[in-house]
Amino acid sequence: MSCLLQYNTISNNNNIYIYKHPQSPFIHTLPGSWIPSLKSKARRMGGHDHVVWWMCVVVVLAMGDLVLGMAPRRPVAVPFGRNYVPTWAFDHIKYFNGGSEIQLVLDKYTGTGFQSKGSYLFGHFSMQIKMVPGDSAGTVTAFYLSSQNNEHDEIDFEFLGNRTGQPYILQTNVFTGGKGDREQRIYLWFDPTAAFHSYSVLWNMYQIVFFVDDVPIRVFKNSKDLGVRFPFNQPMKIYSSLWNADDWATRGGLEKTDWSKAPFVAAYKGFHVDGCESSVNTQFCATQGKRWWDQKEFQDLDAYQWRRLQWVRQKYTIYNYCTDRKRLPVMAPECKRDRDV
């Protein structure tokens, strides 16, 4: 343990440094806050900045941070018009800073929405959103991917508004082959109306991961071998909308939209798309295996991400279809693989 090993920095993502020894198959994570002291110790022992003290790596391994996965790359903020177009009620979309930020407006006449220009098979898709402030009961802000036919695939973020002082609810769902009924609901650990936060989807052949500010809040693994359909051959467009759903959104429809508080406004920026663009009829990704999100390290979450997901499930989950025996007497086969029970 008293030796120095040469480690190469292969990623510095979200202030977590990823190290891999050139003669080892293992990947190791180190918090960014450790790096200054590690570099100082390496220099004192005659090494250089790229030398990592082996004892510290052993400590990381002992903490369970030997990883198979990796966090997604940092999204790249681009103007709205690069990747998206309005779909309805164009006059209810407002543009700021050259289109780098937009607002969706809902009033008693209409909501509004937009969609991606392209269709995608797999990728990493992110949006920064600031939710409707104040009394937002009855409103829904949606960010989702969906294919175009009857037996459609869909990956949903739905943000359910609430009365002033009551927390937003984030509902996620996954449709495969037209079948959904996989709702999960959580409270967020921050006020989503006070500032922009990042909401993203990582989708490849192995898993779908929902992230909030780089924290995984849900995983849907490919369980085709268990008889569960997985979205892999239907390209999807990306959509977002702000609309009135007071027949179900808040307390099952008991809380109605207070139109005296209108207009309701949700703000967006970021508009990151990094996917395999396809025609709506393409059933495979031509770049499969060649993109960063399609590599082995993104086939599963790493140990740290699984612990973060468990933290969300224990502290913030308020509904999970996997544990609803009244609605689903037989638990869905994917639930154990997704570690939802």
Side-chain angles (χ1 to χ4, degrees):
M1 298 302 182
S2 62
C3 62
L4 291 170
L5 292 179
Q6 302 287 325
Y7 268 65
N8 299 321
T9 305
I10 60 175
S11 175
N12 171 10
N13 191 30
N14 307 327
N15 209 30
I16 299 294
Y17 285 70
I18 313 297
Y19 285 94
K20 185 180 186 302
H21 188 268
Q23 296 179 341
S24 168
F26 299 125
I27 297 172
H28 312 282
T29 61
L30 292 174
S33 59
W34 288 27
I35 300 305
S37 61
L38 291 178
K39 288 181 177 179
S40 176
K41 180 172 286 189
R43 284 193 293 268
R44 289 199 305 271
M45 299 191 67
H48 303 283
D49 283 358
H50 66 280
V51 178
V52 176
W53 181 234
W54 176 246
M55 179 62 79
C56 293
V57 175
V58 172
V59 171
V60 173
L61 295 178
M63 293 169 61
D65 278 333
L66 174 64
V67 301
L68 296 174
M70 190 179 292
R73 289 183 181 176
R74 180 68 61 186
V76 177
V78 298
F80 171 81
R82 180 175 300 182
N83 292 320
Y84 291 96
V85 293
T87 49
W88 50 292
F90 293 10
D91 61 338
H92 281 55
I93 301 181
K94 298 181 178 180
Y95 300 84
F96 301 89
N97 301 321
S100 61
E101 182 178 331
I102 69 166
Q103 292 180 351
L104 302 189
V105 179
L106 166 66
D107 57 28
K108 63 181 179 180
Y109 301 104
T110 185
T112 188
F114 59 88
Q115 69 177 44
S116 62
K117 294 178 179 179
S119 298
Y120 302 92
L121 263 177
F122 314 121
H124 181 233
F125 313 97
S126 181
M127 198 81 71
Q128 294 182 52
I129 311 175
K130 184 163 58 175
M131 301 301 161
V132 175
D135 191 331
S136 58
T139 71
V140 172
T141 306
F143 168 45
Y144 61 102
L145 289 80
S146 181
S147 62
Q148 307 298 303
N149 55 17
N150 290 331
E151 291 191 359
H152 73 290
D153 297 332
E154 191 168 307
I155 303 168
D156 295 341
F157 279 103
E158 291 181 311
F159 302 87
L160 314 183
N162 215 331
R163 297 263 89 104
T164 301
Q166 298 300 311
Y168 258 81
I169 292 173
L170 170 52
Q171 175 172 286
T172 58
N173 202 353
V174 178
F175 286 76
T176 59
K179 178 188 180 302
D181 299 326
R182 298 187 178 99
E183 296 90 347
Q184 294 185 5
R185 290 185 172 189
I186 67 169
Y187 289 131
L188 295 165
W189 50 96
F190 52 84
D191 178 0
T193 72
F196 285 96
H197 290 268
S198 176
Y199 306 94
S200 58
V201 171
L202 176 70
W203 169 37
N204 58 32
M205 282 287 293
Y206 307 96
Q207 62 179 353
I208 296 166
V209 187
F210 296 77
F211 290 92
V212 174
D213 289 341
D214 298 325
V215 176
I217 64 161
R218 180 172 184 177
V219 172
F220 185 80
K221 305 288 287 183
N222 188 338
S223 298
K224 188 177 178 181
D225 59 316
L226 301 178
V228 180
R229 293 181 67 168
F230 187 82
F232 72 94
N233 64 352
Q234 297 190 92
M236 296 196 239
K237 286 186 178 293
I238 311 160
Y239 300 87
S240 191
S241 58
L242 174 60
W243 50 292
N244 177 46
D246 65 3
D247 57 330
W248 66 271
T250 308
R251 294 184 60 213
L254 295 178
E255 301 285 348
K256 300 299 182 181
T257 303
D258 183 353
W259 293 110
S260 71
K261 301 295 194 299
F264 304 99
V265 177
Y268 291 74
K269 63 181 183 178
F271 308 113
H272 167 84
V273 173
D274 186 354
C276 179
E277 190 166 356
S278 305
S279 74
V280 294
N281 297 318
T282 300
Q283 295 188 345
F284 66 93
C285 176
T287 60
Q288 186 173 328
K290 300 177 182 178
R291 304 289 282 268
W292 66 265
W293 38 259
D294 212 9
Q295 302 306 303
K296 184 176 182 180
E297 55 264 37
F298 296 98
Q299 294 180 14
D300 198 359
L301 299 184
D302 63 37
Y304 176 74
Q305 290 172 323
W306 277 115
R307 288 200 300 274
R308 295 292 279 170
L309 177 57
Q310 191 62 27
W311 171 75
V312 172
R313 287 171 172 168
Q314 291 177 351
K315 289 185 173 291
Y316 298 102
T317 296
I318 56 176
Y319 177 80
N320 183 352
Y321 78 108
C322 287
T323 58
D324 188 345
R325 290 294 167 270
K326 290 184 179 180
R327 182 179 169 199
L328 299 171
V330 178
M331 184 176 63
E334 71 270 13
C335 290
K336 286 188 176 180
R337 180 166 291 175
D338 299 339
R339 305 190 193 181
D340 272 317
V341 290

